[in-house]
Amino acid sequence: MKVLVAIKRVIDPYVKVRVKSDGSGVETNNVKMTMNPFCEIAVEEAVRLKEAGHAEEIIVVSVGDISCQEQLRTALALGADRAIHIDMPSSPEPLVVAKLLRAVMAIEDPGIVLLGKQSIDTDNNQVAQMLAAITQRPQGTFASEVTLVSEESPVSESNGQSNAVLVTREIDGGLETVKLNLPAIISTDLRLNEPRYASLPNIMKAKRKPLDVITPDELGVAVTQHQEILDVMPPPERAAGVMVNSVSELVEKLKNEAKVIGAI
């Protein structure tokens, strides 16, 4: 079984984000970039499936300019077998990404598609659901546990043929487990696993692993933007705090200045 993992290049979550002076977006020049944390979890889960004998090949795919290849090489160093770079000037909106992934799926025919539940930059949380809708495949979102199963046994053997997957997902009321027939699409949540670090030997090996570059035209996908960013602005700065000398003074300020408590 093949596992296809979609990853995205984003600003490092530990870097302070700065808005461009013209308000057209956030500054990315000379800013540390990394793989989206949720995508790292998806790559780790794919590697674990392969280590358990459930997957034969892991393919990672990313959409964007040539800089995306840095994150694809990172995924290869973490255990992926080969990479696909869909080359285009900028990262498109979620529906276009879903259509591009559908075209890749038609070529690769993966048994499982893993995606991070959302990216930390646009925070849309849409691609996995859109991809499931346009491919008519079952989906399990916000996965905190993934277990491959077969019809004969609740838990398949490592060398058995799995035809379904149990996905435990986090919902407002607790945990929900759904059974999906393969092929299926799964989006990963934070508590699914703890991503590993790439070792130096694997980083060197990743440089020799295949990385194919294709364009949307080669996949037969027309890139049409339906959304336009009008303005990007930083959040308002918080006012400085003040020290109070007593509880009564604190209550007075909360009631009359902050107005977060009513009259007592």
Side-chain angles (χ1 to χ4, degrees), residues 7-9 61-69 72 84-101 104 212-219 221-226:
I7 66 173
K8 186 178 183 182
R9 176 182 170 91
V61 58
S62 187
V63 182
D65 59 26
I66 192 172
S67 58
C68 293
Q69 294 187 14
L72 288 171
I84 299 173
H85 172 210
I86 302 176
D87 189 15
M88 54 187 308
S90 61
S91 182
E93 62 190 53
L95 182 58
V96 175
V97 175
K99 290 179 178 179
L100 291 168
L101 293 178
V104 174
D212 299 324
V213 180
I214 56 178
T215 64
D217 290 339
E218 292 176 295
L219 293 173
V221 177
V223 178
T224 304
Q225 294 292 103
H226 302 89

Side-chain angles (χ1 to χ4, degrees), residues 98 101-102 105 113 115 127-136 185:
L101 293 178
R102 177 180 61 179
M105 288 168 59
V113 179
L115 310 91
V127 174
Q129 293 88 331
M130 289 179 172
L131 182 60
I134 64 178
T135 58
Q136 295 295 297
I185 294 168

Side-chain angles (χ1 to χ4, degrees), residues 47 89 108 138 167 186 199-200 211 248 264:
V47 174
E108 300 294 344
V167 176
I186 301 171
S199 65
L200 181 59
L211 192 159
S248 59
I264 299 176

Side-chain angles (χ1 to χ4, degrees), residues 147-163:
T147 306
L148 285 169
V149 298
S150 63
E151 292 181 350
E152 294 77 19
S153 172
V155 179
S156 63
E157 297 295 333
S158 60
N159 59 354
Q161 184 64 40
S162 302
N163 50 28

Side-chain angles (χ1 to χ4, degrees), residues 14-204:
Y14 300 106
V15 171
K16 183 178 180 179
V17 176
R18 294 178 290 110
V19 176
K20 291 181 179 179
S21 58
D22 60 0
S24 61
V26 297
E27 189 60 63
T28 57
N29 292 329
N30 300 317
V31 174
K32 183 181 179 182
M33 307 295 284
T34 187
M35 189 190 309
N36 180 50
F38 291 102
C39 299
E40 284 186 303
I41 294 171
V43 172
E44 172 66 23
E45 192 63 23
V47 174
R48 294 188 183 191
L49 289 174
K50 184 178 180 181
E51 291 174 342
H54 297 301
E56 298 174 354
E57 186 180 27
I58 301 171
I59 308 159
V60 288
V61 58
S62 187
V63 182
D65 59 26
I66 192 172
S67 58
C68 293
Q69 294 187 14
E70 178 185 354
Q71 279 62 50
L72 288 171
R73 291 294 181 191
T74 299
L76 292 172
L78 291 172
D81 298 295
R82 57 189 174 94
I84 299 173
H85 172 210
I86 302 176
D87 189 15
M88 54 187 308
S90 61
S91 182
E93 62 190 53
L95 182 58
V96 175
V97 175
K99 290 179 178 179
L100 291 168
L101 293 178
R102 177 180 61 179
V104 174
M105 288 168 59
I107 298 171
E108 300 294 344
D109 191 27
I112 293 178
V113 179
L114 288 169
L115 310 91
K117 72 169 185 177
Q118 64 197 77
S119 60
I120 61 171
D121 50 5
T122 55
D123 218 32
N124 287 318
N125 181 20
Q126 294 177 343
V127 174
Q129 293 88 331
M130 289 179 172
L131 182 60
I134 64 178
T135 58
Q136 295 295 297
R137 290 194 179 188
Q139 64 173 315
T141 56
F142 320 135
S144 60
E145 185 178 353
V146 174
T147 306
L148 285 169
V149 298
S150 63
E151 292 181 350
E152 294 77 19
S153 172
V155 179
S156 63
E157 297 295 333
S158 60
N159 59 354
Q161 184 64 40
S162 302
N163 50 28
V165 59
L166 295 178
V167 176
T168 300
R169 46 194 308 272
E170 299 185 354
I171 58 176
D172 291 340
L175 299 176
E176 174 187 72
T177 300
V178 295
K179 182 178 180 180
L180 312 175
N181 292 326
L182 298 181
I185 294 168
I186 301 171
S187 70
T188 59
D189 210 340
L190 283 174
R191 279 160 287 280
L192 178 58
N193 59 51
E194 182 71 27
R196 68 192 69 189
Y197 291 99
S199 65
L200 181 59
N202 286 336
I203 292 174
M204 301 305 294

